[in-house]
Amino acid sequence: MKPYNKNLKQASRDLRNNMTEAEKLLWARLRGKQILGLQFYRQKPILNYVVDFYCPAANLVIECDGGQHFTDEGLEADRIRDQRLTELGLTVLRFDNGQVLGEIDDVVERINQSCLKESP
């Protein structure tokens, strides 16, 4: 079980109710155990972060990044976040919103390949 911050429960719920178009599209391909029969969760609190998607069986976090992630501050915050999540034994996959919206099959294939490496 990964560290869960109960103080992020409402923020997580709000994010689930206000997903971006890229997140909605990717969620449609992850939900219902469509990838290797694995369960994914959306907007899951881990440590002091709310990750976009999380698959515990594959120790996988998936992030859909909008423009704010590509500023100097955003890149540094993501670097720190990814390092902390990696220290928990998680693999972090990042896709920008354009990739998800324009190349969804390629994104899903990368997720599939990552799950094959990580799942028991």
Side-chain angles (χ1 to χ4, degrees):
M1 183 81 176
K2 300 299 176 210
Y4 176 80
N5 183 342
K6 67 180 180 183
N7 296 323
L8 293 176
K9 186 174 184 174
Q10 186 59 49
S12 176
R13 187 174 291 149
D14 292 343
L15 288 167
R16 278 193 299 277
N17 290 327
N18 296 292
M19 292 172 62
T20 66
E21 290 305 311
E23 289 169 341
K24 289 177 188 176
L25 180 61
L26 186 52
W27 180 239
R29 301 290 295 269
L30 296 176
R31 68 185 305 177
K33 300 183 180 182
Q34 295 179 67
I35 295 181
L36 303 173
L38 297 172
Q39 179 73 49
F40 282 83
Y41 299 92
R42 60 188 171 129
Q43 308 303 341
K44 183 75 171 168
I46 300 176
L47 295 173
N48 290 322
Y49 309 109
V50 178
V51 301
D52 291 337
F53 303 101
Y54 172 57
C55 177
N59 290 314
L60 180 64
V61 167
I62 303 166
E63 293 288 322
C64 293
D65 293 344
Q68 73 277 16
H69 290 269
F70 301 104
T71 64
D72 288 342
E73 296 82 15
L75 290 168
E76 180 62 11
D78 286 346
R79 185 192 66 74
I80 293 167
R81 175 185 176 119
D82 291 355
Q83 180 180 341
R84 299 221 33 229
L85 293 169
T86 300
E87 288 168 358
L88 290 177
L90 299 170
T91 298
V92 180
L93 292 181
R94 287 189 171 277
F95 301 99
D96 69 57
N97 288 347
Q99 285 177 289
V100 175
L101 294 171
E103 306 165 22
I104 188 64
D105 290 336
D106 292 338
V107 168
V108 169
E109 181 55 28
R110 277 198 55 209
I111 294 167
N112 187 58
Q113 291 302 316
S114 185
C115 288
L116 283 171
K117 289 181 204 170
E118 298 295 329
S119 58

